[in-house]
């Protein structure tokens, strides 16, 4: 079943966690994001955007659609914010996350509060 996953990871290695997510091709087969921003300033999207831009600002954000609903954001303060469509259930999500360096994961709720 295909569902949208929105997760924020607290991690000692935000760049490493973002790189691992990017390598899973969770945003499709595109070689580069649609848009990349470094501290809210536009940067040139490229396949190696994480290597080129991580550590160059407080926030490096990659967007994969026009409305920024599919994204991968790396923050210098140790957070990664990711939103992507995912095929699979809880066991597959656990398998994906178990490969990542993080301390705490917070998921967006599916239910209005």
């Amino acid at each position: 079943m295909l569902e949208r996953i929105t997760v924020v990871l607290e991690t000692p290695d935000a760049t490493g966690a973002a790189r691992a997510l990017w390598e899973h091709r969770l945003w499709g087969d595109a070689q580069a994001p649609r848009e990349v921003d470094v501290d809210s300033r536009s940067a040139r999207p490229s396949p190696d955007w994480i290597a080129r831009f991580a550590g160059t600002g407080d926030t490096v954000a990659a967007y994969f659609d026009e409305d920024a609903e599919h994204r991968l954001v790396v923050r210098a303060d140790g957070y990664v914010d990711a939103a992507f469509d995912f095929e699979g259930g809880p066991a597959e999500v656990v398998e994906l996350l178990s490969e990542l360096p993080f301390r705490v994961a917070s998921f967006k709720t599916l239910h209005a509060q």
Side-chain angles (χ1 to χ4, degrees):
M1 130 174 102
L2 186 64
E3 297 283 339
R4 169 89 39 83
I5 301 273
T6 303
V7 62
V8 176
L9 304 173
E10 178 187 5
T11 174
D13 184 8
T15 301
R19 185 176 293 114
L21 287 167
W22 175 242
E23 289 172 356
H24 275 281
R25 311 305 299 161
L26 298 168
W27 294 272
D29 292 329
Q31 294 300 309
R34 176 183 171 79
E35 177 184 340
V36 174
D37 293 339
V38 178
D39 291 339
S40 299
R41 290 185 302 268
S42 186
R44 183 181 302 266
S46 67
D48 65 342
W49 67 274
I50 294 174
R52 288 181 60 205
F53 299 117
T56 64
D58 292 330
T59 303
V60 177
Y63 302 105
F64 300 91
D65 54 12
E66 288 184 23
D67 55 8
E69 288 188 16
H70 295 85
R71 65 187 175 277
L72 180 56
V73 181
V74 185
R75 293 184 32 187
D77 58 357
Y79 292 92
V80 173
D81 173 4
F84 50 89
D85 293 332
F86 189 74
E87 183 74 40
E92 289 81 12
V93 172
V94 169
E95 182 179 339
L96 170 68
L97 292 179
S98 69
E99 300 173 12
L100 305 177
F102 72 96
R103 290 181 223 150
V104 177
S106 176
F107 293 87
K108 179 181 177 184
T109 181
L110 297 175
H111 306 285
Q113 301 213 20

